[in-house]
Amino acid sequence: MTSPEAPRVRLPQLKLDELLEELQARIDAARGTRDRVHSLLEAVLSVGRELDLEQALHSVVEAAATLVDAEYGALGVIGPDGRTLSAFHTVGVSEEEIRRIGPFPQGHGILGELIRRPRPLRLAKLSRHTASYGFPPGHPPMNSFLGVPIRVRDEVFGNLYLTEKRGGAEFDEEDESVLSTLAVAAGVAIDNARLYEESRQRERWLLANAEIGHSLMSGSARSEALDLIAERAREITGSALAAVAVPLRDTGRLSVEIAVGAEAKAHRGLVLPLGESLMGLAFSAAAPVTSDDVDHDERISAEPPRFRGLGPAVAVPIGTGEAGARGVVLLARESGRPVFSGQESEMLRGFAAQAAIAMELAERRQDAQQIALLEDRDRIARDLHDLAIQRLFATGMTLQSAGRFIEHEEARARVLRAVDDLDETIRIIRSTIFGLRTHPGTAESGLRARLVRVAGDSARVLGHPPSVRMEGLVDTEVPREIADHVVAVLSEALSNVVRHAHADRTEVLLTTDGHEVCLRVGDDGVGIPPEGRRSGLRNMARRAEQLGGRLRVTSGETGGTTLEWRVPLPKT
């Protein structure tokens, strides 16, 4: 018989303690899971609220590092080529450490592994993976790794990279599941942010088009509209340089009229060949042309240097179709900035097309004003011919007849000189009448109008309007072939004044006496430097020699340069 004081059996008590401990562990696990799910939901809501793309990306990587308890986190955005990273957002690394490490990674090693194989990747130790490249000097040590891709509409946008789980632990399946869930929410948030940014971008382009159209239709000069196009395009795309070039008629080249921003001075006044410039390629193709690095693009002539410090660039024609391109706008970002995407190029193309329509409407309005002006000039010409010339001729005849009755030799000589002056006045008025009666259909193609147009177009880049004088019957006595050379020489001469002279005054004089034509371009600038480039002068001299003429360039003692281009006219 057992004594009442004998020890009791403890086995059931031990099992109860174990069960209680297991229950407590499960309660703690459930509480931890609940807290983690709650944190995940908060992270999803936080990321989904962001509409600014850059801020959304930063919020995603911050939330990811917090959810999986990682010391370091990064989000790499895959570039347009689909092989490298175009942007990199980090948390856990200070600015000082980033400067010490150097440039952000481009997508090699482990980072490139996720680009090539977009699926979750967990590693206990980074250095043991076959794709590991190691770390650059100054990089903090990293061992554990977890990476997952972020997809936006079935396209891999980028990858989340998390390293160094706190406490020296490894990332587990639950971490991978949580991060994959966040990546799905991040894809939606990024898509929303991109759509919002795209709508904002389109709104900015529409407002810019409205501003340009209003400027043109209110009577602003074309140069002001081109300046507005360059400024707004540079602001909206975040470019460092914007330039606008227009075709030089009958020369097969482009002239840069407007340039704003970095390296603007090196672009203003440039005359570009179509086949050796980004603008020329876009003009010839009537489609956008991009460059990842415009400063080292083999398609573009290196001379003169004009893209220092610039990288991604795009050139877009202003208007296409039956009317053809009216010009080209060039945009270039600083070296290291993102390249221009296809979407950006298309938006810019639409902007340029709308600007071309506004320019077309403004030109039609100017044409109507020009017709009214020509009709008024025709009336003035008739009045000069029917009234002024007839009276002057009658006065000359009267003086000539009266001269026979004057006995004083000096008085008779004065009367005869007055008759000669009247004859010269009549000749000048007749030349003026011819200019006034230039037919509207030939006004645009006549040498007189072409020179005035070239000189007027150069006023914006010169900083002052050049004075233009013409003597003789330049539209009738100068044949088309020589007129084309005259226009090309004037364009080159004014381009040289813009780039080298730093002048405050420019004078253009074209004369013809029926035997030869002479173009003089003078300025009050600094003169021609001894070490300056002579390619433009050689081209003008070659043109003169081909026609049996000559080029003479002189500099004044106190500065200034005079260019005289003279060629004989064919005998009729």
Side-chain angles (χ1 to χ4, degrees):
M1 189 171 176
T2 305
S3 171
E5 286 79 14
R8 296 179 181 177
V9 179
R10 298 289 183 180
L11 184 58
Q13 182 65 40
L14 290 174
K15 287 184 177 180
L16 182 59
D17 290 343
E18 290 176 0
L19 288 172
L20 288 173
E21 288 177 1
E22 183 179 351
L23 180 60
Q24 184 63 44
R26 291 190 178 186
I27 291 173
D28 291 342
R31 183 181 294 112
T33 301
R34 182 200 65 188
D35 293 343
R36 197 162 198 187
V37 170
H38 182 69
S39 299
L40 177 59
L41 290 174
E42 284 187 345
V44 169
L45 291 173
S46 175
V47 168
R49 280 194 294 265
E50 294 293 346
L51 288 177
D52 179 79
L53 182 58
E54 293 298 310
Q55 187 59 43
L57 297 177
H58 191 72
S59 297
V60 168
V61 70
E62 276 188 336
T66 302
L67 283 173
V68 299
D69 203 21
E71 188 172 351
Y72 304 106
L75 192 158
V77 180
I78 299 176
D81 59 4
R83 298 187 301 273
T84 58
L85 298 176
S86 62
F88 207 70
H89 302 264
T90 63
V91 296
V93 185
S94 66
E95 293 293 332
E96 177 60 33
E97 288 176 314
I98 292 174
R99 283 193 294 270
R100 193 164 59 246
I101 294 169
F104 282 122
Q106 297 298 306
H108 305 296
I110 298 295
L111 305 188
E113 184 72 14
L114 260 76
I115 297 175
R116 293 185 294 272
R117 298 177 179 84
R119 56 176 179 266
L121 177 64
R122 270 190 298 128
L123 300 172
K125 196 168 184 62
L126 274 167
S127 58
R128 293 177 183 171
H129 195 279
T130 55
S132 177
Y133 265 47
F135 298 111
H139 198 286
M142 295 180 180
N143 293 296
S144 57
F145 174 85
L146 174 59
V148 297
I150 298 176
R151 286 181 169 83
V152 177
R153 297 189 181 187
D154 297 327
E155 177 185 346
V156 178
F157 172 82
N159 295 301
L160 274 172
Y161 309 108
L162 286 306
T163 60
E164 285 299 284
K165 189 174 178 68
R166 298 184 189 277
E170 298 178 12
F171 295 105
D172 55 24
E173 291 184 6
E174 188 176 338
D175 292 326
E176 181 180 321
S177 177
V178 168
L179 201 60
S180 297
T181 303
L182 179 66
V184 173
V188 175
I190 290 169
D191 192 29
N192 289 338
R194 289 203 303 188
L195 290 173
Y196 178 74
E197 178 60 28
E198 182 181 332
S199 66
R200 290 288 304 276
Q201 197 82 334
R202 290 186 187 279
E203 181 183 1
R204 286 193 285 266
W205 284 123
L206 288 173
L207 289 174
N209 270 319
E211 185 180 3
I212 292 166
H214 180 269
S215 173
L216 283 167
M217 299 309 293
S218 62
S220 297
R222 189 190 66 160
S223 59
E224 294 181 15
L226 295 178
D227 190 43
L228 198 56
I229 289 172
E231 284 285 3
R232 294 298 174 264
R234 185 172 73 100
E235 292 171 3
I236 294 173
T237 60
S239 300
L241 167 71
V244 178
V246 296
L248 288 173
R249 290 179 176 86
D250 309 316
T251 64
R253 295 185 296 174
L254 297 173
S255 173
V256 180
E257 285 198 13
I258 307 294
V260 292
E263 294 294 308
K265 187 176 180 181
H267 282 79
R268 289 193 195 105
L270 276 179
V271 177
L272 302 172
L274 296 184
E276 300 176 19
S277 63
L278 201 67
M279 284 180 157
L281 293 172
F283 184 83
S284 300
V289 177
T290 60
S291 174
D292 292 348
D293 187 0
V294 70
D295 195 24
H296 300 91
D297 197 317
E298 295 180 353
R299 299 172 296 173
I300 302 171
S301 61
E303 292 293 332
R306 57 193 187 278
F307 292 112
R308 286 175 292 236
L310 300 177
V314 61
V316 178
I318 301 175
T320 52
E322 295 182 0
R326 296 177 173 275
V328 183
V329 57
L330 169 74
L331 296 170
R333 289 172 174 155
E334 294 175 347
S335 182
R337 292 286 310 281
V339 299
F340 287 89
S341 65
Q343 185 181 43
E344 284 182 304
S345 297
E346 284 305 312
M347 282 189 178
L348 183 59
R349 187 176 188 177
F351 166 73
Q354 292 295 324
I357 293 173
M359 293 171 67
E360 175 79 16
L361 292 173
E363 287 180 8
R364 292 292 175 265
R365 180 175 56 81
Q366 291 175 356
D367 287 344
Q369 294 175 347
Q370 183 71 14
I371 291 174
L373 176 63
L374 290 172
E375 290 176 349
D376 198 36
R377 289 170 60 182
D378 191 53
R379 179 186 58 77
I380 295 171
R382 285 197 308 270
D383 291 346
L384 286 174
H385 182 271
D386 296 341
L387 300 176
I389 286 184
Q390 298 304 325
R391 290 196 175 194
L392 288 172
F393 185 76
T395 302
M397 293 292 291
T398 301
L399 289 174
Q400 194 172 20
S401 299
R404 293 196 299 267
F405 302 103
I406 300 175
E407 296 180 357
H408 195 281
E409 289 295 330
E410 185 177 351
R412 185 186 301 112
R414 289 187 179 185
V415 169
L416 293 177
R417 281 199 301 272
V419 172
D420 291 338
D421 288 342
L422 286 174
D423 289 340
E424 179 64 19
T425 301
I426 291 171
R427 189 185 68 82
I428 293 173
I429 293 177
R430 281 177 173 165
S431 178
T432 302
I433 291 172
F434 182 83
L436 286 171
R437 283 184 165 172
T438 300
H439 192 272
T442 61
E444 290 295 318
S445 59
L447 178 56
R448 181 186 301 269
R450 292 169 67 189
L451 286 188
V452 170
R453 185 166 55 245
V454 169
D457 290 346
S458 69
R460 177 67 174 79
V461 288
L462 280 170
H464 60 272
S467 68
V468 180
R469 289 191 301 124
M470 282 172 261
E471 297 178 2
L473 304 178
V474 296
D475 283 335
T476 56
E477 293 181 343
V478 181
R480 176 75 182 189
E481 179 186 357
I482 295 179
D484 291 342
H485 285 285
V486 172
V487 173
V489 169
L490 179 60
S491 298
E492 189 74 47
L494 292 176
S495 176
N496 287 342
V497 174
V498 171
R499 298 172 58 196
H500 305 298
H502 308 291
D504 295 320
R505 188 178 70 255
T506 307
E507 297 178 351
V508 177
L509 172 63
L510 179 70
T511 61
T512 179
D513 57 1
H515 301 289
E516 68 174 4
V517 61
C518 177
L519 174 68
R520 289 188 183 89
V521 181
D523 64 74
D524 63 348
V526 298
I528 301 178
E531 70 282 0
R533 296 173 66 245
R534 296 292 193 274
S535 58
L537 294 177
R538 285 196 296 270
N539 290 337
M540 289 186 277
R542 194 178 300 116
R543 288 179 183 274
E545 291 167 1
Q546 290 174 355
L547 299 171
R550 64 187 184 277
L551 172 73
R552 188 163 66 100
V553 181
T554 58
S555 296
E557 295 181 0
T558 59
T561 304
T562 300
L563 178 147
E564 184 179 279
W565 189 86
R566 187 185 296 270
V567 297
L569 297 176
K571 295 180 180 180
T572 56

